[in-house]
């Protein structure tokens, strides 16, 4: 990537900066700083002590507890960290304090440089209602809705009732899909407002909302602008961000396709004029919603965007370097005529979430992590051994590809997702591959509701793993048990399978040895004897597979079934085996049949937490009657709210949690006893 330094400019570059963020963006900023010879320091929470960004940056100050409010949102602690590390400037990355005018002003008051827009501009743009007024003054069309943000739920509700539906609630102080709710009907309005406010407060430290008309089937196009702070503003063209879920971008690309030249020029012009009006300093993104041949202003993100790499790939410009040079008073490092686009770039966000469970966030230890190494730009903040916690966003990595054509870029990105291996948590990689293969994605006829419509059709990988994968997982478990068992133990000999009930040929145990769980289905597994060549017959349910599984390099295993050979990656975490090959990953729960028999069935009516997180609210009391589907408790994980519902009619016999309590996955929240069960 070419340098953004204009020839002949005098350099007053920083000697050292503090990166006030975490994860992949902290690593990304550090990469450019190191290339420019700038020393870096970082900050981290107590939950991030062993995080990749802490090790990569090298010098980091622990600034508080696990939650953002206790750490990354603490202005005083960040300023103190900058002073202690001798930093001259602070780069906020995105999220957390990046759009906080109070933070930017405090940084400057401390004699440090804020690498971003001026506090005044953040105030005018960071508040979405104010940004709409600025856009209107710059000549851009805006959507109807609130003129002022509000922290009063009743006031927000009154605004909603005064507008035609649907409308969207938006956090006034930030973006990234946090603090957003679409209101299609007035039923449940106050609950939606309160949930949006909680998310906004948790993510940005400010619960204020605005209300805006909601365009259901539009395209989301954004323009990257760069300004010198003195009125000179240029654009780095546009990005397509239409593929979204829960108002969060999933796939981004540059340039936008199937866009009329006149419409493109109109959006670029609106974005530059708005930047000129504000005498914008640094980089920012002006976002628009497009319907047909018309466009409306949505908001400005006065910061670096998650998806900035696609613009870097097509222009060859390092946007982080541009930010640094402008903040160091070097002026605009390039002219509009120097900005050219080449080829097509696409980015996919790899997140810790389970598509089969309505994209439930997934937490836990990363047992194995392997990203593609050829032809793909990978930006990640994780590695094997790290724990994905519920405190932060679920994004694990970004995969970015660049190719001469859009078709080639789509193919390359799909292949890169297939090569990606993240075991220990569920990821959205398989879903992303399906999304890239959709006809509407391929021909760019998509709209912002496409993913919701795809999800409504079902088929998000909820089925069980194929027979061969189940058999491979079972065989691997048997081999692992034999390796780790004591001499002459139940699993140690070649001709026994844990039960020691027979010997010779491939006769199967009369009773199951293992229970395999996949896609909501439980399968019984029986084994024959293991041959010296590691061949074994595995019966899954009523079907038999004769296979050989031999160790290869690392976590790779060679699987042979008949004359078919392939390499699988197989790793284990507690009672789960992760099997991946050919771009498809399966998480298969494995339990010893004897253990299951010994423990018996789970107590009826136990409602458990689906993952690690914080209890926000309990909705019932002990002794209260509930119906199937009633909300018993609401919890938060990875800045997302989820409900724990009763699965049958009954009476609440116990309630084991309270608001504010951190809970582990699988904790019993309540016991709902069916009516008549005790009679």
């Amino acid at each position: 990537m070419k340098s953004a330094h204009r020839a002949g400019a005098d350099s007053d570059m920083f000697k050292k900066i503090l990166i006030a963020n975490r994860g992949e963006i902290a690593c990304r900023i550090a990469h450019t700083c190191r290339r420019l010879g700038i020393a870096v320091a970082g900050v981290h929470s107590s939950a991030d002590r062993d995080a990749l960004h802490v090790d990569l940056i090298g010098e980091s100050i622990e600034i508080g507890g696990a939650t953002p409010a206790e750490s990354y949102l603490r202005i005083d602690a960040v300023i103190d960290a900058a002073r202690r590390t001798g930093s001259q400037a602070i780069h906020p990355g995105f999220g957390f304090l990046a759009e906080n005018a109070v933070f930017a002003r405090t940084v400057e008051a401390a004699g440090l440089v804020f690498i971003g827009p001026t506090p005044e501009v953040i105030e005018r743009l960071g508040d979405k209602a104010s940004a709409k007024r600025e856009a209107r003054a710059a000549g851009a069309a805006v959507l109807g809705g609130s003129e002022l943000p509000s922290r009063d739920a009743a006031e927000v509700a009154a605004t909603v009732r005064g507008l035609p539906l649907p409308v969207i609630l938006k956090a006034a102080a930030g973006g990234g899909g946090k603090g957003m709710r679409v209101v299609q009907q007035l039923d449940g309005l106050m609950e939606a407002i309160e949930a949006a406010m909680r998310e906004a407060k948790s993510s940005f430290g400010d619960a204020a909302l605005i209300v805006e008309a909601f365009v259901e089937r539009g395209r989301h196009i954004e323009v990257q602008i760069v300004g010198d702070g003195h009125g000179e503003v240029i654009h780095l063209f546009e990005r397509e961000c239409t593929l979204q879920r829960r108002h969060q971008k999933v796939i981004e690309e540059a340039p936008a396709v199937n866009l009329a030249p006149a419409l493109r020029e109109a959006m670029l012009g609106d974005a530059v004029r708005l930047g000129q009006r504000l005498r914008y300093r640094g980089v920012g993104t002006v976002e628009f919603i497009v319907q047909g041949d018309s466009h409306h202003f949505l908001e400005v993100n006065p910061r670096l965007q998650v998806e900035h790499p696609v613009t870097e790939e097509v222009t060859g410009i390092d946007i982080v370097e541009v930010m640094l040079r402008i903040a160091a008073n070097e002026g605009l490092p390039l002219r509009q005529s120097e900005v050219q686009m080449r080829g097509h770039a696409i980015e996919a966000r790899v997140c810790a979430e389970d598509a089969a469970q309505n994209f439930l966030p997934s937490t836990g230890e990363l047992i194995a992590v392997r990203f593609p190494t050829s032809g793909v730009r990978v930006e990640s903040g994780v590695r094997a051994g790290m724990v994905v916690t519920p405190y932060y966003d679920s994004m694990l990595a970004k995969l970015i590809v660049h190719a001469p054509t859009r078709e080639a870029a789509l193919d390359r990105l799909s292949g890169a997702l297939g090569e990606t291996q993240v075991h220990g948590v569920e990821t959205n990689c398989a879903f992303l591959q399906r999304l890239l293969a959709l006809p509407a994605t391929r021909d760019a006829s998509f709209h912002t509701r496409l993913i919701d419509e795809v999800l409504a059709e079902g088929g998000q990988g909820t089925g069980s793993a194929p027979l061969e994968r189940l058999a491979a997982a079972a065989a691997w478990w048997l081999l692992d048990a034999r390796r780790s068992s004591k001499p002459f133990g139940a699993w140690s000999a070649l001709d026994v399978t844990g039960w020691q009930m027979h010997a010779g040929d491939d006769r199967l145990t009369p009773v199951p040895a293992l229970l395999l769980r996949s896609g909501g289905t439980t399968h019984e597994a029986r084994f024959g004897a293991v041959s010296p060549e590691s061949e074994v017959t595995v019966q899954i349910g009523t079907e038999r597979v004769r296979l050989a599984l031999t160790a290869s390099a690392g976590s790779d295993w060679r699987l042979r079934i008949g004359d078919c050979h392939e390499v699988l990656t197989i790793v284990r975490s507690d009672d789960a085996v992760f099997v991946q090959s050919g771009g498809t990953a399966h998480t298969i729960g494995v339990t010893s049949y004897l253990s299951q028999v010994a423990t018996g069935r789970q107590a009826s009516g136990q409602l458990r937490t689906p993952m690690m997180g914080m209890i926000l609210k309990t909705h019932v009391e002990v002794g209260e009657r509930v119906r199937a589907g009633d909300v018993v408790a609401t919890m938060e994980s990875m800045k997302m709210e989820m409900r724990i519902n009763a699965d049958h009619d009954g009476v609440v016999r116990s309630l084991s949690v309270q608001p504010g309590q951190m809970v582990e996955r699988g904790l019993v929240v309540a016991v709902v006893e069916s009516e008549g069960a005790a009679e």
Side-chain angles (χ1 to χ4, degrees), residues 524-545:
E524 295 181 347
R526 292 172 168 82
F527 297 108
V530 182
S531 75
E533 295 77 26
S534 296
E535 270 198 349
V536 62
T537 297
V538 182
Q539 180 171 308
I540 305 296
T542 60
E543 298 188 69
R544 295 187 182 188
V545 179

Side-chain angles (χ1 to χ4, degrees), residues 412-436:
R412 185 172 295 176
L413 182 56
S414 182
L417 288 164
E419 294 177 35
T420 298
Q421 296 183 6
V422 179
H423 300 297
V425 298
E426 298 290 341
T427 75
N428 62 339
C429 284
F431 172 77
L432 291 171
Q433 287 180 291
R434 291 195 293 275
L435 184 59
L436 291 174

